[in-house]
Amino acid sequence: MIIKPRVRGSLALNCHPMGCKKIVEDQIKIAKDSKQYKGPKKVLILGASSGYGLATRISLAFGGSKSDTIGVSFEKEGTEKKVGSAGWYNNIWFKEAAEKEGLIAKNFIGDAFSHEMRKEVLEYIKDEFGGKIDLLVYSVASGVRQDPDTGIVHRSCIKPINEEFGGYTLNIQKEEIEYMSVESATEEEIANTVKVMGGEDWSHWVKTLVDEDVCNEGFKSVAYSYIGGDITRAVYRDGTIGQAKEHLEQTAVELNTLVSEKLGGEVYTSVNRAITTKASAFIPCFSIYASVLFKVMAEQGKEEPCMEHTHRLLADMIYGDSPNFDAQGRMRPDSWELTDEIQEKSVNIYNDITEENFKELCDFKLYKKYFMNLNGFEADGVDYDSDVDLEWLSTLRP
Ligand code: NAD
Ligand code: NA
């Protein structure tokens, strides 16, 4: 089968399995060529198949730490007839590369929010993974979560609170920008978003792992958060998702008390920079902001893609000697994004953007390339005219 990209609006409808392989290999090379650090030996990553979670896993395995990893993700299986999701193949290629270097790379595909998944992972840690872990990274991004105790399905939304929000969003398919206005969220929508993207599930995981005594002394857990600047403030940090992130950050403070007392370890959030991912492509105006940011950061020689950013977080901060915590105890690798100079320049450009000039004013090309790369397209050195052997691919297991 010859696979060409299919995109609807800002939703990718397919992926290129061999392109995903090349992208994973390229990221591994970045981790290997970067500063090497000594880190945790045994790691569990929730949301490990794409974006920040995958970059974290690659850095930990190939950036000096040589970590054995367990990855949990929710992905669609590839069959003999149908291409699976990008994350499905990312898991396969990561595992293949890690095993070649003698590392354990175990994948669980399913719902991280469920008690069943926690039970399965726990049994695996106890029976086959050496009994204890050193680090849990929480990088799940989802629009829906079933509460494992009540069975109620909660849906998150990305809306402002007590105000309306309007702004442009990229339509990747049409290569156009579209004006979107979003109404203020209801109390129920806020509560549901906190349920899905807040800290409740992370807390279930950390408490279960501590209770079941599968964490080593000095155990750490990190979850990823976002703040951003004025352009996205109304719809992001002051909106429904911001409430969820605040809940996540408060959860870190609670969990830190537990983990520091019991294990002499630490729990915190890391506020990461804006990048193009499957999850972030849906946030109103975020894609335009990110495209402006890429351009401004590049002009300052500070443009840092997901893999490099994540590696710096681990090598210099979490397992390095320049941690950079803020007054609320959050790790701040996003400080590069949030300097006054970068933000002022971004706002000035953003305010001038029109449907006609956006391709000149922001780095749409780079945004699109990152977006296509997420699904294995536009990778350097991949022949997209050659046949993809789905039958063979379907025999590979994550
Ligand atoms: P992503 O879409 O690339 O990755 C999400 C991951 O979660 C995937 O591995 C997916 O399989 C997994 N997942 C989703 N639902 C699941 C479920 N029910 N069970 C198990 N796994 C599930 O997203 P991302 O942008 O890398 O986001 C990861 C975290 O980083 C989020 O907390 C996000 O808010 C945060 N973050 C993102 C940005 C950004 O710009 N993208 C910036 C700062 C922080
Ligand atoms: Na992720």
Side-chain angles (χ1 to χ4, degrees):
M1 184 192 265
I2 310 279
I3 303 175
K4 299 288 171 190
R6 289 193 299 126
V7 178
R8 193 196 305 132
S10 288
L11 178 71
L13 300 176
N14 66 346
C15 79
H16 196 286
M18 303 317 288
C20 290
K21 182 170 203 246
K22 182 59 170 37
I23 298 286
V24 168
E25 286 167 358
D26 289 350
Q27 289 189 313
I28 289 173
K29 185 165 182 336
I30 293 167
K32 284 185 171 174
D33 292 347
S34 302
K35 173 179 144 186
Q36 302 293 285
Y37 61 97
K38 286 205 167 57
K41 286 295 151 217
K42 298 281 180 181
V43 182
L44 169 59
I45 298 160
L46 305 170
S49 60
S50 62
Y52 275 122
L54 176 62
T56 301
R57 196 178 193 187
I58 289 174
S59 173
L60 287 164
F62 297 100
S65 175
K66 297 188 189 307
S67 311
D68 288 330
T69 57
I70 301 169
V72 180
S73 58
F74 193 86
E75 298 296 343
K76 200 170 97 230
E77 179 175 349
T79 67
E80 282 171 41
K81 298 228 164 62
K82 280 196 101 176
V83 183
S85 56
W88 172 264
Y89 299 105
N90 291 342
N91 286 332
I92 289 173
W93 307 128
F94 172 84
K95 182 183 170 193
E96 187 183 277
E99 287 182 346
K100 243 184 226 161
E101 311 236 342
L103 302 174
I104 299 171
K106 173 71 179 174
N107 289 308
F108 287 90
I109 316 293
D111 184 9
F113 301 138
S114 69
H115 289 317
E116 291 74 27
M117 180 59 82
R118 264 187 288 280
K119 207 168 151 246
E120 272 185 59
V121 171
L122 202 63
E123 274 168 19
Y124 177 79
I125 294 172
K126 287 181 180 173
D127 299 343
E128 291 176 64
F129 201 60
K132 295 202 180 196
I133 62 170
D134 304 301
L135 171 69
L136 165 68
V137 177
Y138 195 86
S139 188
V140 176
S142 176
V144 48
R145 169 172 172 245
Q146 180 171 39
D147 183 310
D149 296 318
T150 65
I152 296 171
V153 175
H154 300 272
R155 281 174 205 287
S156 65
C157 66
I158 297 174
K159 289 189 175 182
I161 296 172
N162 294 330
E163 60 183 309
E164 259 186 47
F165 174 80
Y168 285 114
T169 286
L170 286 177
N171 182 319
I172 311 269
Q173 177 195 11
K174 296 186 186 154
E175 302 208 349
E176 286 171 0
I177 62 173
E178 291 162 352
Y179 193 80
M180 271 180 76
S181 52
V182 194
E183 277 179 23
S184 174
T186 63
E187 286 301 321
E188 199 188 345
E189 286 173 324
I190 299 169
N192 278 325
T193 306
V194 172
K195 259 286 190 188
V196 178
M197 286 297 286
E200 192 174 82
D201 181 58
W202 183 29
S203 178
H204 278 320
W205 275 97
V206 172
K207 285 180 178 160
T208 304
L209 296 169
V210 171
D211 282 350
E212 294 281 335
D213 197 24
V214 296
C215 302
N216 275 318
E217 274 298 304
F219 169 79
K220 285 187 208 279
S221 187
V222 183
Y224 294 145
S225 191
Y226 184 69
I227 295 178
D230 288 341
I231 296 171
T232 53
R233 190 171 323 279
V235 76
Y236 196 98
R237 193 66 200 200
D238 287 350
T240 50
I241 182 75
Q243 292 288 303
K245 289 303 188 192
E246 242 163 64
H247 185 271
L248 184 82
E249 290 162 13
Q250 279 159 16
T251 303
V253 176
E254 266 170 53
L255 293 175
N256 186 51
T257 306
L258 171 81
V259 164
S260 61
E261 279 170 7
K262 287 218 165 168
L263 299 157
E266 40 181 359
V267 179
Y268 48 83
T269 50
S270 169
V271 185
N272 295 354
R273 67 157 288 173
I275 54 159
T276 310
T277 63
K278 189 169 141 188
S280 70
F282 282 102
I283 303 171
C285 111
F286 192 91
S287 49
I288 295 278
Y289 166 67
S291 313
V292 171
L293 184 70
F294 299 156
K295 182 156 192 163
V296 175
M297 299 276 279
E299 280 164 8
Q300 313 273 315
K302 290 257 175 193
E303 171 50 18
E304 192 184 44
C306 174
M307 188 62 231
E308 284 85 343
H309 185 71
T310 309
H311 188 78
R312 178 168 64 87
L313 167 66
L314 286 154
D316 292 354
M317 298 189 177
I318 301 179
Y319 293 102
D321 46 21
S322 22
N324 190 11
F325 284 107
D326 66 14
Q328 283 94 291
R330 303 172 296 200
M331 194 76 93
R332 299 303 300 268
D334 67 331
S335 62
W336 292 12
E337 171 181 348
L338 292 186
T339 64
D340 290 344
E341 200 187 352
I342 298 275
Q343 286 301 313
E344 273 162 29
K345 287 195 165 149
S346 299
V347 170
N348 286 339
I349 295 176
Y350 182 81
N351 287 339
D352 288 340
I353 282 185
T354 65
E355 285 162 39
E356 287 74 40
N357 69 11
F358 80 97
K359 281 188 184 169
E360 287 95 70
L361 292 194
C362 66
D363 203 338
F364 171 75
K365 262 177 91 176
L366 186 58
Y367 187 92
K368 188 169 178 189
K369 184 171 165 63
Y370 285 152
F371 183 86
M372 299 309 275
N373 283 176
L374 293 174
N375 296 293
F377 296 107
E378 294 186 23
D380 303 322
V382 173
D383 179 6
Y384 291 102
D385 294 322
S386 77
D387 198 61
V388 177
D389 187 349
L390 286 188
E391 204 177 315
W392 165 70
L393 283 165
S394 74
T395 65
L396 306 178
R397 308 311 298 169

